[in-house]
Amino acid sequence: MSLAPTGLFRYPIVQAPMAGGASRPELAAAVSEAGGLGFLAAGYKTAEAVRREIDEVRRLTSRPFGVNLFMPQPATADRAAVGAYRDRLAGEAARYGTPLGDPDGGRDDGYEAKMAVLAENPVPVVSVTFGCPAPEALAALASAGTVTVVTVTSVEEARAAEEAGAAVLCVQGAEAGGHQGTHRDAPGPRPPATPLAALLPPVRDSVRLPLIAAGGLMRGGDVAAVLAAGASAAQLGTAFLACPESGAHPLHKQALTDPRFARTELTRAFSGRPARGLVNRFLHEYGPHAPAAYPDVHHLTSGLRRAAAAAGDPEGMALWAGQGHRLARPLPAAELVRTLAAELDAARTAPSSAAGPPEGAPAAAPGAAGGAR
């Protein structure tokens, strides 16, 4: 199977899999029906819940769609650092009247059980984040007719994924909202990440696989830019976050264009892994102190995040968003796909312009203005 526009889907537009509830079956199905590639996010769900969501997408559309898995994580966290962070968060537990979670709540996200679901009931596309499956796992998916996609954030990760047998790479730049898909999170005061415009060309020159570009993409002009830079398709998450079919919390959707949340940062505050979100009180106060400890910190703060949402307090929520969040449009998903496709056509036929990107948008790959996930 090949990528858009002649293979699995009509338009070179992929809806990013957003764990935590945003990527509902209704969203994935609407995107696929409109000619893009919709994605379910299996992260933080049980294998049986993933099975039910796959069945629901198939009820809503006959078009291809994808499912994203999180790779199991090694037990490398500094337990003392996690304990110190837990102590620091005691005030947050009191603020929201909820206990902190158990940092030892599991490291594999039910990976093997979810792979078994996908083996029994193959889907058109499976992508993975936070690592690369073993060659035999990729081969098994491919033999079932599934296109395999591995998220990469460096040339080294791209080469390793190609060698393991991935069919496609999702090249994720620093501008992307939510978690960076790095295969290993190296401890450090500021999580390193490479902008998409600087990452896509060397990856393109280092591997022979089709590439999906992700990070800071919100408009059809951004899609045109990454296609011109060598990608076969563009992946957008924040752009779809505001759609009515998205399962994101209403406060999260509102925050995307709320002047109170003017910028984003990469932080470990909520999960222990670098992730880009709107700067709110929690991120500002705890980001400098969070250890490199995923999913330990994710388990630790999950109850706090739920309690903040229940209390109507976006200052305590993980407001994942890409750098172009101000350009979010609350359009129905199908309309957004059609709008992006029309903007892409216009960008391809318009004469080159010396104008820069819209205010609030990140720099795009060479060749176009624009700018999320």
Side-chain angles (χ1 to χ4, degrees):
M1 294 183 182
S2 60
L3 284 171
T6 59
L8 285 176
F9 44 109
R10 179 180 180 185
Y11 302 121
I13 297 167
V14 178
Q15 166 246 312
M18 296 172 281
S23 296
R24 297 193 303 169
E26 294 87 345
L27 178 61
V31 171
S32 291
E33 272 290 299
L37 181 66
F39 254 97
L40 293 173
Y44 311 136
K45 297 185 178 84
T46 66
E48 185 54 38
V50 173
R51 187 194 305 274
R52 289 195 301 268
E53 290 200 348
I54 290 171
D55 290 343
E56 179 64 9
V57 173
R58 287 196 165 121
R59 187 184 69 79
L60 295 170
T61 183
S62 61
R63 296 180 184 269
F65 64 96
V67 174
N68 175 260
L69 302 179
F70 287 169
M71 291 296 296
Q73 298 300 291
T76 57
D78 182 333
R79 297 186 67 84
V82 173
Y85 194 56
R86 183 186 185 106
D87 293 343
R88 188 178 290 273
L89 292 175
E92 294 297 310
R95 176 194 293 267
Y96 293 114
T98 189
L100 295 171
D102 179 6
D104 298 319
R107 314 201 65 80
D108 66 356
D109 196 50
Y111 173 78
E112 293 296 342
K114 293 170 187 177
M115 286 289 279
V117 168
L118 296 171
E120 297 165 9
N121 193 4
V123 299
V125 184
V126 169
S127 70
V128 294
T129 304
F130 302 156
C132 182
E136 53 270 27
L138 291 170
L141 289 168
S143 67
T146 296
V147 175
T148 57
V149 183
V150 174
T151 304
V152 300
T153 61
S154 70
V155 169
E156 293 73 23
E157 290 175 355
R159 287 172 174 160
E162 181 179 47
E163 185 175 343
V168 181
L169 303 180
C170 179
V171 182
Q172 185 195 47
E175 305 90 342
H179 284 96
Q180 288 283 298
T182 49
H183 294 190
R184 289 289 181 268
D185 177 23
R190 298 179 67 88
T194 305
L196 181 60
L199 179 61
L200 187 57
V203 171
R204 176 200 61 206
D205 293 342
S206 299
V207 299
R208 296 179 139 187
L209 301 179
L211 307 178
I212 299 172
L217 311 179
M218 295 294 285
R219 294 287 193 261
D222 306 331
V223 178
V226 296
L227 297 183
S232 296
Q235 179 170 287
L236 298 82
T238 305
F240 287 100
L241 200 60
C243 293
E245 297 92 341
S246 159
H249 194 283
L251 290 174
H252 192 169
K253 295 183 180 184
Q254 294 165 16
L256 296 174
T257 53
D258 187 331
R260 285 188 297 165
F261 306 108
R263 62 189 181 89
T264 65
E265 280 185 11
L266 282 172
T267 184
R268 293 192 179 98
F270 296 101
S271 73
R273 233 182 190 277
R276 183 171 297 281
L278 300 174
V279 178
N280 59 5
R281 179 191 60 81
F282 194 101
L283 189 155
H284 177 73
E285 291 183 9
Y286 296 101
H289 308 288
Y294 178 85
D296 312 64
V297 172
H298 163 77
H299 295 314
L300 195 61
T301 67
S302 58
L304 296 178
R305 290 178 272 130
R306 286 193 299 270
D313 182 12
E315 297 291 350
M317 298 168 60
L319 302 174
W320 303 137
Q323 284 187 355
H325 61 94
R326 289 183 179 180
L327 300 177
R329 299 175 280 196
L331 300 173
E335 184 179 347
L336 180 56
V337 171
R338 291 191 292 267
T339 299
L340 290 166
E343 292 171 347
L344 170 59
D345 285 343
R348 282 171 157 171
T349 58
S352 59
S353 170
E359 185 177 357
R373 188 171 173 145

